[in-house]
Amino acid sequence: MAVSLITLTDVHLAFGHHALLDGAELTIQQGERIGLIGRNGAGKSSLLKILDGRLDPDDGEVMRMSGLTVATVEQEPALDDDATIMEFLCGDYIEREDWQRPAVAGALIDQLGLQADARIASLSGGTRKRVALARALADQPDLLLLDEPTNHLDFDGILWLQNMLAETRCTVVVITHDRRFLDEAATRIVELDRGRLYSFPGNFSQWQARKADMLEAEQQQQARFDKFLAQEEAWIRKGVEARRTRNEGRVRRLEQLRRERAERRERMGNVRMAVAEGARSGKLVAELQNVSHSFGERVIVRNLSTTIMRRDRIGLIGPNGAGKTTLLRIILGELKPNSGTVRLGTQLTVGYFDQMRAGLDEAATLAEVINPGSEWVEIGDQRKHVMSYLEDFLFPPARAQSPVSSLSGGERARLALARMFARPTNVLVLDEPTNDLDIETLELLEDLLQDYSGTVLLVSHDRAFLDNVVTQTLVAEGNGVWREYAGGYEDWIVQRAADTPAPAPAAARKTTPATSEKTKEAAPAAAPRRRGGSSRLTNWEARELEGLPDAIAEVEARQEALGAELADPALYQQNPERVSQINEELAALETRLTELFDRWELLESKRADQQDAD
């Protein structure tokens, strides 16, 4: 029987007039790995605070399993700067005579490649995040809450975290915009949308398909409602009939319809992005010849030669501290290398997005940041008032005079994008642009960069973002060596695997961050093997082939029905055993569907061979 750790019933939470939770329902069961998603400002972090008890809801009920232990890792974790890594991971457990704790801490330190005696105060942002995650995992809580854990982590750190979450026995709720991470780590997606929580079984990709269907159904339902309301409003305007006693019920129904329409919370609009493209640059953007650069004994670039042409979209890949930002500065001519030459192209106008948003003046208003000294912004041949332009990035006019210091992390990221896109450019340099952006905004940014006629230089640890944007990668391979690969992240994984010996056994891969990417993702898909015997399609196989589409459709229909049943929050409270039954049946259906598709592919290939022979 599935054990429920926390159950939220009709929970409400508001700050001022803004309702973050509006009758939210949620049950978290033991062993789940839940991906919590939603727009910036929807209230995801506040929900985590309710789950771990730091915040009480305004109304509703929160029921917790007796003795429940919870560990939370926040976006910017607060650590003890005076402690060493080992001291911080062990905490006060030594004083409580937990003699296993040093061994657990030591294993985590080895896995992460950390120095046990390093002071917390000396650590970079990415290493601090790893230490905070290690401390939470070492605590072995019943429930682990993670708020944007992949921010500031490099690929090795992200892969290590994926593997740890897959192996840990604790239940996990994670807020993240990293779509690939959600695909790999989540067993259920919970979306916070307009104050309500919607549950979807499976990972992010499966959620996307179901969400599209839900939004379409919602739009159709609202359209029917609005049409009916309009008809009733037209009726009431006639006046005379409405005052008759026999129509009082219809009048009351109209009043209820009006209340329902007034209470409807519209889905937040999407950011509307457009970039002010400058004059076209020369065909050559930058040419590096035998470039080397060091800081003391630390080699950042060693004998690098590369050419960047107009419309190239280059992703820089490497661990934290590899020198990606330094290499960007060398490419742009901002930093002179110790040796070698850098030749820049002509008519370059560069837009820069830095990961720390350092270019934002904390005291300036939003309008001043966008275009100081002017009320107008010119995007291509379109002229927009700064208020209207800010609305495109989801800042209402009332906030135009608010200071930058009042913005959340996601809002700062949107403002930095708005400022960069308001200036004419033909080279965009994006240093970790995905941090703090919600998934919808990320996808819109991807679309804009794909259509951008200039050159893009991108530093990102978001694997899906790299795959969707870049055409080639420049990868740090250690000791200052950088190597070029065609394509995005996945293409790099495939090419790297082709150039290296066979991977280590699975057990070894799970404890080594640098080699923990799944082999099946690294190697090209093998062509389906044909079974021995005749390649001709028999009569009974032909009949089987004709029936396979119906069989596949039947399995998919059952999956959809079970998914709809599982998406009902009430199910987790009223019948938790049914949740386990549904998940087991969905797993069996997924296996059955794979078998049907494999069989269909085999029989289709036999039929094609037969047609060729005839």
Side-chain angles (χ1 to χ4, degrees):
M1 178 178 175
V3 177
S4 297
L5 302 186
I6 296 182
T7 299
L8 273 59
T9 305
D10 195 26
V11 167
H12 295 258
L13 179 69
F15 293 115
H17 296 293
H18 182 51
L20 297 177
L21 300 177
D22 188 9
E25 308 266 344
L26 177 66
T27 296
I28 299 173
Q29 293 188 311
Q30 192 174 51
E32 288 191 296
R33 297 193 299 275
I34 296 174
L36 179 59
I37 64 175
R39 303 298 295 269
N40 289 137
K44 302 185 294 297
S45 296
S46 297
L47 176 58
L48 288 195
K49 291 178 181 178
I50 288 177
L51 294 177
D52 66 12
R54 287 179 291 164
L55 183 64
D56 292 325
D58 298 331
D59 198 4
E61 185 178 21
V62 180
M63 296 182 61
R64 295 181 176 85
M65 182 184 73
S66 177
L68 180 71
T69 58
V70 183
T72 303
V73 179
E74 299 185 75
Q75 290 191 47
E76 301 295 337
L79 310 182
D80 182 0
D81 285 343
D82 294 330
T84 66
I85 292 178
M86 176 61 83
E87 290 169 347
F88 181 74
L89 293 188
C90 289
D92 59 357
Y93 284 84
I94 298 300
E95 298 175 7
R96 284 189 277 165
E97 298 185 350
D98 183 354
W99 302 114
Q100 292 183 339
R101 183 67 175 217
V104 173
L108 289 166
I109 287 171
D110 289 342
Q111 290 173 25
L112 290 169
L114 302 172
Q115 293 181 331
D117 58 352
R119 291 282 171 187
I120 299 292
S122 68
L123 304 181
S124 66
T127 307
R128 291 174 70 91
K129 179 63 73 73
R130 290 190 188 205
V131 171
L133 289 167
R135 169 66 185 255
L137 288 165
D139 289 344
Q140 298 181 328
D142 299 315
L143 178 62
L144 177 62
L145 307 178
L146 306 176
D147 195 348
E148 297 288 4
T150 63
N151 280 5
H152 308 303
L153 288 184
D154 55 23
F155 291 128
D156 286 349
I158 293 171
L159 295 172
W160 167 80
L161 181 59
Q162 280 180 194
N163 290 329
M164 289 299 295
L165 294 187
E167 294 172 355
T168 185
R169 286 179 289 183
C170 64
T171 302
V172 180
V173 178
V174 54
I175 298 172
T176 182
H177 61 265
D178 189 323
R179 293 156 290 178
R180 177 69 181 276
F181 184 86
L182 287 170
D183 269 346
E184 296 288 339
T187 58
R188 176 158 66 115
I189 299 294
V190 173
E191 183 184 19
L192 177 54
D193 182 13
R194 290 163 286 179
R196 299 295 182 94
L197 293 168
Y198 300 91
S199 179
F200 302 82
N203 61 19
F204 177 77
S205 294
Q206 293 165 324
W207 166 83
Q208 276 189 311
R210 294 190 176 106
K211 180 64 176 180
D213 293 339
M214 277 189 60
L215 286 176
E216 183 178 356
E218 179 183 347
Q219 290 171 356
Q220 292 175 352
Q221 181 181 5
Q222 290 183 354
R224 288 193 292 268
F225 179 95
D226 292 343
K227 182 178 179 181
F228 180 61
L229 176 59
Q231 291 171 344
E232 294 300 282
E233 292 285 7
W235 169 80
I236 198 69
R237 285 195 295 270
K238 294 179 181 179
V240 177
E241 293 183 30
R243 286 191 289 271
R244 294 181 183 174
T245 303
R246 61 186 176 89
N247 285 323
E248 287 180 358
R250 190 172 180 180
V251 174
R252 287 194 297 271
R253 182 178 62 184
L254 174 58
E255 291 172 348
Q256 177 62 27
L257 289 173
R258 287 172 173 170
R259 285 192 293 270
E260 290 179 20
R261 182 63 184 87
E263 292 170 0
R264 182 198 298 172
R265 289 182 62 178
E266 300 291 349
R267 182 171 172 80
M268 184 187 295
N270 284 325
V271 171
R272 294 187 292 276
M273 292 185 186
V275 60
E277 297 188 21
R280 195 167 70 163
S281 70
K283 187 174 182 181
L284 174 72
V285 174
E287 182 181 54
L288 281 64
Q289 288 287 340
N290 302 318
V291 166
S292 296
H293 194 75
S294 304
F295 293 115
E297 296 182 356
R298 182 177 166 224
V299 181
I300 302 298
V301 183
R302 185 187 300 275
N303 200 33
L304 172 63
S305 296
T306 188
T307 302
I308 300 173
M309 308 298 289
R310 184 177 63 234
R311 286 194 63 86
D312 280 351
R313 287 162 173 73
I314 299 176
L316 275 65
I317 290 178
N320 290 338
K324 298 183 291 294
T325 302
T326 299
L327 179 54
L328 278 179
R329 294 183 62 208
I330 291 173
I331 292 172
L332 297 173
E334 297 177 357
L335 177 65
K336 183 177 175 57
N338 298 146
S339 63
T341 60
V342 178
R343 182 164 67 98
L344 297 179
T346 59
Q347 294 184 307
L348 299 183
T349 53
V350 180
Y352 197 92
F353 182 96
D354 71 286
Q355 60 174 311
M356 303 309 294
R357 324 289 189 252
L360 298 178
D361 182 353
E362 293 288 312
T365 67
L366 275 58
E368 290 170 343
V369 166
I370 295 300
N371 206 9
S374 174
E375 295 184 354
W376 300 93
V377 176
E378 294 190 8
I379 307 293
D381 58 355
Q382 187 178 12
R383 195 166 186 255
K384 278 194 170 185
H385 194 275
V386 67
M387 298 290 190
S388 176
Y389 183 71
L390 282 169
E391 283 191 282
D392 288 346
F393 287 82
L394 306 184
F395 295 108
R399 298 197 64 187
Q401 301 305 320
S402 300
V404 170
S405 59
S406 68
L407 301 182
S408 67
E411 289 171 332
R412 286 169 184 261
R414 291 205 309 271
L415 183 64
L417 287 174
R419 185 185 64 168
M420 183 177 68
F421 291 154
R423 290 158 172 75
T425 63
N426 52 37
V427 178
L428 289 179
V429 181
L430 306 171
D431 193 351
E432 295 292 359
T434 64
N435 287 354
D436 301 317
L437 292 180
D438 57 45
I439 291 170
E440 287 88 345
T441 305
L442 278 182
E443 292 175 342
L444 291 167
L445 180 57
E446 287 173 352
D447 292 340
L448 182 142
L449 294 177
Q450 289 165 2
D451 295 334
Y452 181 59
S453 63
T455 305
V456 176
L457 302 177
L458 170 65
V459 174
S460 178
H461 294 120
D462 188 316
R463 293 161 289 179
F465 193 81
L466 283 167
D467 281 339
N468 292 336
V469 172
V470 306
T471 57
Q472 61 203 88
T473 54
L474 194 55
V475 182
E477 299 195 331
N479 199 27
V481 176
W482 294 79
R483 183 177 173 187
E484 293 181 87
Y485 294 86
Y489 173 84
E490 283 299 320
D491 299 297
W492 165 56
I493 292 294
V494 171
Q495 294 169 74
R496 183 185 65 174
D499 292 342
T500 56
R509 290 202 307 275
K510 287 180 179 178
T511 58
T512 308
T515 58
S516 60
E517 188 68 65
K518 294 182 180 178
T519 306
K520 67 179 182 181
E521 296 169 351
R529 292 187 303 166
R530 296 178 184 174
R531 299 187 177 96
S534 172
S535 62
R536 296 188 65 83
L537 197 67
T538 65
N539 290 335
W540 66 266
E541 285 177 329
R543 288 194 296 272
E544 181 185 3
L545 180 58
E546 289 178 3
L548 280 174
D550 289 339
I552 291 171
E554 184 178 340
V555 173
E556 290 177 334
R558 180 58 179 163
Q559 284 179 319
E560 185 175 351
L562 290 173
E565 186 177 353
L566 203 57
D568 181 5
L571 178 67
Y572 294 83
Q573 182 178 359
Q574 298 170 2
N575 192 359
E577 292 184 359
R578 176 59 181 155
V579 175
S580 299
Q581 294 170 359
I582 293 174
N583 282 321
E584 290 175 4
E585 186 175 352
L586 282 171
L589 288 171
E590 189 64 33
T591 301
R592 175 58 178 157
L593 196 61
T594 300
E595 293 171 350
L596 289 171
F597 274 116
D598 287 345
R599 183 62 175 164
W600 176 81
E601 188 174 7
L602 174 66
L603 295 181
E604 275 288 355
S605 67
K606 291 183 72 172
R607 182 166 69 177
D609 287 346
Q610 180 175 312
Q611 291 172 344
D612 291 342
D614 294 342

